Amino acid sequence: MTQSPGQGNALDNLLTESRTFPPSDEFAAQANAQPALYEEAKADREAFWAKQAERLHWETKWDQVLDWSDAPFAKWFVGGKLNVAYNCVDRHVESGHGEQVAIHWEGEPGDSRAITYAELQREVSKAANALTSLGIGAEDRVAIYMPMIPEAIFSMLACARVGALHNVVFGGFSAEALRTRIQDSEARVVITTDGQYRRGNPAPLKPAVDEAVAGAPSVEKVIVVKRTDTEVAWTDKDVWWHELVDSQSDQHTPEAFDSEHPLFILYTSGTTGKPKGILHTSGGYLTQASYTHFNVFDLKPDTDVYWCTADIGWVTGHSYIVYGPLSNRVTQVVYEGTPNTPNEGRHWDIVQKYGVSIYYTAPTLIRTFMKWGADIPAKYDLSTLRVLGSVGEPINPEAWIWYRENIGGGKAPIVDTWWQTETGAIMISPLPGVVSTKPGSAQRPLPGIGAKVVNDEGVEVPHGGGGYLVLDEPWPSMLRGIWGDEERYRDTYWSRFGEQGFYFAGDGAKYDNDGDIWLLGRVDDVMNVSGHRISTTEVESALVSHPTVAEAAVVGASDETTGQGIVAFVILRGGAGADAGGADAIKALRDHVAKEIGPIAKPRQIMVVPELPKTRSGKIMRRLLRDVAENRTVGDVTTLADSSVMDLISAGLQSGKSED
Ligand code: PRX
C-alpha cells in the first residue's frame, strides 16, 4: 500500500468520539484494581510480575523472573515449578471451598448441572488417570474436538495435570481442518463426542473425527463422550468416555512441571494460509490469565457469577473460561448452545436464572442482539450485571452504547479487551474501577504491559496520530513460538519492526488526544482512498451510528480515480422500516458517513445484505467482500461459518445498489 506524499500518516485518524463514562464512586471504591497498580508496574516491571505470580501456588519458586536472552523466545519464572490444574482446582478444595460451585453448566436443550470444586477435582483426577492408562504423559499431544460440555473442560485440565499439551479444535470445524491440526501436532489421542446440539437439534460430530483420524496415523485412541445418543460407527481405536473414565480412581496426585513446560497448542486459522499452531507454556501464561481476569473483570470469587460466552475452541475459552477464571476460584456459567435457542432471549434468560454479574462476549454477538431488538433483553431481569466485557474485534461506539444501555442498565462499566491468541491474555483494556471508559476504545495497556502505536519507521506517533500497534516489552503469557516452525514465528511477528525489537500484532491503531488507544482493524484491511489511509473500522462505526444500521462491513475496491473506493455492506436493524434499503435511505447513509467522518470517507457504494461473511469465531472476512466489490469470482469460502452467505449477498446485490 502506498503512502500519500506529504501526509506521512501510517493511518489517518478520522472519527472522533467524545463520550466518556467514569466508574461510579461506589464501583471505584470496591474495585480489585486501584490506580496504584499502574505506578507499581512502572516502578519495577519484573518485581510487579513476580508479585502477580504469587497469586499461584508454586511447588518450587523461580530464581529468575524473565530471561529474554534468547529473544524472541521468552522464559518467565525460570526454575519455578507448578501444576496448572492443581492451581485451578485442588488448591480451592484444600482452602475449604470444595462445596463452592465452579461451573453452572447449562445444556442447550435445557438440561443443567452444577459442578462444585470438589466434584471438579474428582472428575479431572479420573480423566487424568484415564489419560495415564493410555500411556499419555508429559509433552504428549491430545486433540479435543467437543461441544461446550463439562467433559471438555475436564479434558483440558486433565491434560494440564499430566503435563500433556491439549490442542482444542473448534467443534464447528470440518474433518479436514481437524485432520490438519491433529497431524501438525501429532496428537496421540482425540477426545470427542457422539454428537452435539446445535440450534435445538442433535447433529453428529464423530463422523468428522472418523474421517480425520483415517488420515492421521499418529492417533492411537479416540475417547468418545455420549452427549446426544446419536448412533455412531465404531472403530478399534474408539473407547467410550463412560467406560474408560468412570471406572478410574478419583484420586490423582499432580506432578509439578517446569514453569516453561508447554501447556497447549491452539491453531489460529486467520483468514488465509496454513493454520499456525500457537504454543503457550505454563507459569507465565497462568500468571497473566489469572491477573488479568481478576483485575479487568473485578472478580469477587465469593459473590460473583461470571459468564464468558466464548467457545473453548478459541483462545478466549482457554484463558477466560478455563485457566484465568478457575485459577481465581470463580463461580461461572458455561452454556452449550446458540443464543437463539429456543428463542432470542436465551442469554438473558440464563443471566436471570443464575444471577450473572459479569458477562464477557464479542461485538459480533452484541450487534446481533441489536439487530434482534432491545425489546428482547428488556423482558428479563438483568439487574445483577455489574461488569460487561467485549473481545475479538473493534466494538463500534453505537454497539458499545447499546450494550451499556440495554444490557448493563446504563451503569455497568464495559471493558473492551484487546488481545490475541498469540498474546495468551488481555493486553489492552480499561481497568473498570480506575479508567473512565470511552465507547469503542480499548484505551491503555494494562499495568505491566508495553504497547504503542508507531509509524512505518517504528517511531511512536503523536497523540491524535494513527499507525501500527506494537508490543515493546515481552509479557508473561506471550506465545513461545509456532509449533514446529521457528522461522515462521520470527517472520510473522518479529520481522516488520525487527530493528526495534517490537512484536507487531498486525493491527492498525490510533491515539486520541488523551493518548488512549483505538483499534482500527487488521492493517491488511486498510483502504487507500486518494492517498488517505482509512481504517475499515472507522467507516463501519460511522455506519453503525446511524439508527437504521445494525452491522456494517466495508472494503476498498479498486477505483480508477481514487485508487480505491469504499464499498459498504450493511445489515439493517430490526424495525428499521421497509424504506430503509431504498435509494433515498442509501443516500442518507452515505451522507451520514460524510458528516461523521468527512467527505473523503463517503462510501462509493452501499449494499444492503441479509448477512455478512464471517469466520466461525465471528470475524468478518473482508477478502470475500472485496471479491464481490471488484466483481471477481468469490475466493476460498471454506473457513466461513456459513458458506451460503455469499450466495445471499450476491442475490441481494440487485436490490440495494447505489452509485452516484
Ligand atoms: O485484530 C484484533 C482483534 O482480534 C485479533 C486477534 O484474534 P484472535 O487471535 O482470534 O483472538 C481473539 C480473542 C482474543 C486481534 O489482532 N481483536 C481482538 N480483540 C479486539 C480486537 N480488535 C479490536 N478491539 C478488541 N478489543
Side-chain angles (χ1 to χ4, degrees), residues 225-303:
V225 177
K226 191 174 266 192
R227 170 59 185 139
T228 51
D229 243 335
T230 307
E231 202 161 315
V232 291
W234 209 245
T235 78
D236 54 8
K237 292 184 176 177
D238 298 339
V239 49
W240 285 111
W241 174 285
H242 56 265
E243 286 172 10
L244 175 71
V245 178
D246 289 355
S247 59
Q248 303 288 332
S249 157
D250 61 8
Q251 303 291 311
H252 179 272
T253 309
E255 179 190 341
F257 295 99
D258 196 88
S259 176
E260 282 301 330
H261 187 83
L263 181 63
F264 65 84
I265 305 170
L266 181 60
Y267 286 83
T268 59
S269 43
T271 39
T272 49
K274 177 174 175 262
K276 301 187 280 276
I278 304 298
L279 176 67
H280 284 286
T281 60
S282 304
Y285 170 79
L286 192 62
T287 295
Q288 194 174 328
S290 183
Y291 154 76
T292 51
H293 178 257
F294 181 75
N295 288 294
V296 172
F297 299 107
D298 193 45
L299 181 85
K300 307 287 192 275
D302 294 325
T303 47

Side-chain angles (χ1 to χ4, degrees), residues 529 534 566 590-591 593-603:
V529 183
I534 300 178
I566 300 177
R590 298 177 66 234
D591 291 344
V593 175
K595 183 175 123 269
E596 290 291 305
I597 301 187
I600 185 70
K602 193 168 180 174

Side-chain angles (χ1 to χ4, degrees), residues 114-280:
I115 301 159
T116 64
Y117 276 98
E119 194 178 350
L120 187 60
Q121 184 183 35
R122 292 192 292 271
E123 295 288 356
V124 173
S125 295
K126 284 195 288 183
N129 284 323
L131 288 176
T132 309
S133 77
L134 299 179
I136 296 297
E139 313 228 1
D140 284 324
R141 274 81 64 198
V142 174
I144 297 177
Y145 182 66
M146 296 171 92
M148 291 291 289
I149 57 174
E151 288 82 355
I153 297 174
F154 305 158
S155 299
M156 290 168 75
L157 291 167
C159 288
R161 198 167 178 102
V162 302
L165 289 75
H166 53 70
N167 159 19
V168 182
V169 180
F170 176 55
F173 275 140
S174 66
E176 180 55 16
L178 176 62
R179 187 188 61 76
T180 55
R181 287 160 177 76
I182 291 175
Q183 256 187 334
D184 190 70
S185 64
E186 296 174 287
R188 292 179 56 196
V189 165
V190 180
I191 309 179
T192 189
T193 61
D194 52 351
Q196 61 180 336
Y197 287 101
R198 238 33 211 163
R199 300 181 205 292
N201 296 308
L205 192 63
K206 184 156 180 296
V209 178
D210 294 342
E211 198 183 324
V213 168
S218 63
V219 177
E220 296 158 27
K221 277 281 173 227
V222 177
I223 307 175
V224 188
V225 177
K226 191 174 266 192
R227 170 59 185 139
T228 51
D229 243 335
T230 307
E231 202 161 315
V232 291
W234 209 245
T235 78
D236 54 8
K237 292 184 176 177
D238 298 339
V239 49
W240 285 111
W241 174 285
H242 56 265
E243 286 172 10
L244 175 71
V245 178
D246 289 355
S247 59
Q248 303 288 332
S249 157
D250 61 8
Q251 303 291 311
H252 179 272
T253 309
E255 179 190 341
F257 295 99
D258 196 88
S259 176
E260 282 301 330
H261 187 83
L263 181 63
F264 65 84
I265 305 170
L266 181 60
Y267 286 83
T268 59
S269 43
T271 39
T272 49
K274 177 174 175 262
K276 301 187 280 276
I278 304 298
L279 176 67
H280 284 286

